[in-house]
Amino acid sequence: MTIEMNIIQTTGFAVIMSGIGYLIQRHVSVLKRLSIPGPVIGGVLFAIIHTILRLSGILQFDFDQTLQEFFQTLFFTTVGFTASVKMLRESGIQASKMMILTVAMILIQNFVGIGVAHVVGINPLLGLLMGSSALVGGPGTTGAVAPSVAELGFDSALTIGFAAATFGIAAGSILGGPTATWIINHFHIKTGTDNLENGEGDDYDGGEEYNDASEVADTIDPSNKSDLISGNTVVKTFLLLLAVAFFGTYFTQFLNWALSHIVGGVNLPSYIGASLLAFVIRNISDNHDTWEMPMDEINVLSDLVLEVFLSLSLLNLQLWELSNVGLGMAFILIVQLIVMILFSCFIAFPFFGKSYNSVMMTTGFIGYALGSSYNAVASMSEVTRQHGRSSRSAIIVPLVCSIFGDFINVMLIYTFLGWLS
C-alpha cells in the first residue's frame, strides 16, 4: 500500500513531524543537551518507522517535494544577506584567524572525506557528503548539496548526508568541553579561576558574564529578542527575499552558461545565484548609512524557511540504503573526528595565541566545525562554568560562522563537486 501526499499534505506532514521532534527533544535530556534540531529528530523517527513499514511490505509513502527547492533557495538567500565584509573586518584579528581556520577545515574535511572514501571503496562523491557539507555545514547545507549528488546517480545521497550531519552535531556537542580541559591541563593554561585565586583579575574585558547558551545567543544575534522585529517589516523583507530569489535564479543560469565555457559538466543549483546576489546587496547596504538591511527580520525568516526546508528534506531519508556504506561511512567519520581534534589542539589553539581566550576560541571552533553555531555557544558556556570567565572575544566564534562560514562552505563544496563530476 502506498500513501501519496500532495504539496499541501506533504508540507503539513513535514511540519508536524518537526513539531513531534521538538516535543521529544524537550523531554529527552540527552537530545536537548546535544542541541539536535527538532526537524532532525522528527525526521529520523519517521525514517525509522517508514523503513520498518517498507521492509515489512506493509506501507510506503510518496511525497510531493515541489516546495523543497523553494524553501531551500529562500534559506540560502538569507545566508547571503548575513555575509557582511564590514562586520568581519570590524571583528578584529581573532575573527580573521577564525575565518582562516574555517576555510582550512572545510578543505581538510572534504579532502579527508574524498580520500578515505576512495580507500574504503566508497564513491568519492558520497565521501564529499561526509566532509564539510555535513560537518561544518550541518543539516541545512547537507540538504542543499545532497540533491546535486543524487542527480549524478546516487539515490542514497540525502540519507548518507543527513546521517553524517547528525553524527557531527552529536560529536561537536560532546567533544568541545573535554578537548578544552585536555588543552588546559596539557599546556598548563592559566584559566579565569586561576587568575582570580592569584589576585590577578580574571582575563575578562569588562563585558557581562554569560552563564547560559541562550544568553550568549541573544548577545550574538539580537533578533532572538522578539520585541526587536516589526510585523510590517517582516512582510516587506519576505517580499525582498522573493525578489532576490527571482533575479538570483537567472544569475545562476548566467553563471552556469559562463562556467560551461571554462569547465564542462558544472551545474550550480539555483540558490547559488540568489545567495551571491544577496551578498552583494548586503555589502552595498553596509557602505550606505541611509540604506540599512532589516537583519533582525531576515534572521527570523531564515529560521522559518530553514525549519520547513529541513522538515521537507528529511521526509526522504531512506535508512535502508545505509546498509551498503555503513562500515565505510563509520570509518570515514571516525577519521574526521581524529583529524578535527588533532587540528584543534596543535594548530588552531597555537594559532589563536595559547591563552585561556585561545582555549575558548578553540572550543567554539570544534563545536561549529562539527556541529553548528549553537553547539559552539553551548560548549563555550560549559567551559566557562568549569574553568572561570573568559574574554567576550569568544563570542566571535558564532559571529564569524554566521557571517561567512556557510557562504564560503557552499562555494567550496560545489568547487569540489564540479571537480569530482
Side-chain angles (χ1 to χ4, degrees):
M1 179 179 175
T2 299
I3 295 179
E4 296 184 1
M5 295 190 186
N6 61 29
I7 186 172
I8 298 175
Q9 294 165 339
T10 296
T11 306
F13 184 74
V15 172
I16 289 171
M17 291 308 303
S18 176
I20 292 174
Y22 279 115
L23 286 175
I24 295 173
Q25 182 197 61
R26 182 181 301 175
H27 292 91
V28 180
S29 59
V30 65
L31 296 177
K32 186 175 182 179
R33 186 170 63 252
L34 295 178
S35 302
I36 297 178
V40 173
I41 298 172
V44 171
L45 174 63
F46 171 75
I48 293 172
I49 296 173
H50 190 194
T51 298
I52 294 172
L53 293 173
R54 179 187 174 93
L55 295 179
S56 301
I58 299 174
L59 180 67
Q60 66 179 22
F61 292 84
D62 184 12
F63 298 106
D64 187 324
Q65 294 286 324
T66 303
L67 285 180
Q68 182 174 326
E69 183 178 358
F70 170 74
F71 284 104
Q72 176 189 50
T73 301
L74 289 186
F75 169 64
F76 278 97
T77 302
T78 65
V79 169
F81 276 121
T82 65
S84 170
V85 174
K86 180 180 179 181
M87 287 182 64
L88 181 63
R89 185 170 58 246
E90 291 177 351
S91 298
I93 186 65
Q94 290 291 67
S96 299
K97 289 182 177 180
M98 178 61 68
M99 197 68 259
I100 292 170
L101 290 175
T102 299
V103 173
M105 183 48 58
I106 289 171
L107 295 173
I108 290 171
Q109 287 179 347
N110 288 332
F111 279 120
V112 168
I114 294 168
V116 180
H118 180 75
V119 172
V120 299
I122 295 177
N123 190 284
L125 284 168
L126 297 180
L128 180 64
L129 288 175
M130 303 174 212
S132 69
S133 63
L135 302 178
V136 169
T141 303
T142 298
V145 173
S148 297
V149 177
E151 289 178 359
L152 297 174
F154 300 95
D155 295 335
S156 60
L158 188 67
T159 303
I160 290 172
F162 275 121
T166 303
F167 174 87
I169 289 173
S173 299
I174 294 169
L175 291 177
T179 303
T181 300
W182 183 87
I183 291 175
I184 290 170
N185 294 332
H186 182 78
F187 292 99
H188 306 290
I189 302 300
K190 186 178 293 186
T191 66
T193 303
D194 294 333
N195 287 335
L196 286 174
E197 291 174 353
N198 295 330
E200 299 174 359
D202 58 3
D203 191 23
Y204 187 61
D205 65 1
E208 301 178 40
E209 180 180 4
Y210 300 103
N211 295 316
D212 182 79
S214 62
E215 293 182 57
V216 182
D218 286 341
T219 302
I220 296 164
D221 181 7
S223 67
N224 286 329
K225 301 182 185 298
S226 59
D227 60 344
L228 292 181
I229 67 171
S230 161
N232 184 48
T233 310
V234 167
V235 173
K236 294 179 180 178
T237 304
F238 184 70
L239 296 178
L240 173 64
L241 294 182
L242 292 175
V244 173
F246 168 77
F247 289 108
T249 55
Y250 286 104
F251 186 34
T252 301
Q253 292 177 6
F254 169 76
L255 291 174
N256 284 328
W257 173 81
L259 289 172
S260 67
H261 292 80
I262 303 173
V263 182
V266 175
N267 186 32
L268 299 175
S270 60
Y271 65 81
I272 291 293
S275 187
L276 285 171
L277 184 57
F279 166 73
V280 173
I281 294 173
R282 170 62 192 274
N283 286 280
I284 292 175
S285 170
D286 283 349
N287 290 285
H288 290 79
D289 295 335
T290 58
W291 181 26
E292 184 177 353
M293 295 302 302
M295 290 311 302
D296 295 330
E297 287 76 10
I298 286 176
N299 287 327
V300 169
L301 290 172
S302 179
D303 291 340
L304 171 62
V305 296
L306 177 59
E307 288 282 317
V308 180
F309 165 56
L310 279 182
S311 300
L312 288 170
S313 299
L314 285 157
L315 289 183
N316 281 330
L317 278 183
Q318 300 173 349
L319 297 182
W320 55 88
E321 295 179 350
L322 288 179
S323 59
N324 297 324
V325 297
L327 291 177
M329 180 179 180
F331 184 74
I332 292 172
L333 293 175
I334 290 172
V335 172
Q336 292 279 24
L337 291 188
I338 294 173
V339 170
M340 182 71 215
I341 293 173
L342 293 176
F343 182 90
S344 299
C345 293
F346 300 107
I347 296 179
F349 171 65
F351 189 58
F352 283 130
K354 288 189 174 182
S355 66
Y356 184 46
N357 288 337
S358 303
V359 174
M360 291 294 295
M361 296 288 287
T362 303
T363 303
F365 177 71
I366 293 171
Y368 169 69
L370 288 177
S372 66
S373 297
Y374 193 88
N375 291 140
V377 171
S379 296
M380 289 188 291
S381 298
E382 182 62 29
V383 173
T384 58
R385 278 192 288 267
Q386 294 181 17
H387 300 286
R389 296 182 296 177
S390 178
S391 170
R392 288 183 67 183
S393 63
I395 298 177
I396 289 174
V397 177
L399 177 64
V400 172
C401 297
S402 66
I403 293 174
F404 268 112
D406 290 339
F407 185 76
I408 292 179
N409 191 21
V410 170
M411 300 301 149
L412 289 177
I413 288 170
Y414 274 95
T415 300
F416 276 92
L417 191 60
W419 168 52
L420 291 174
S421 58

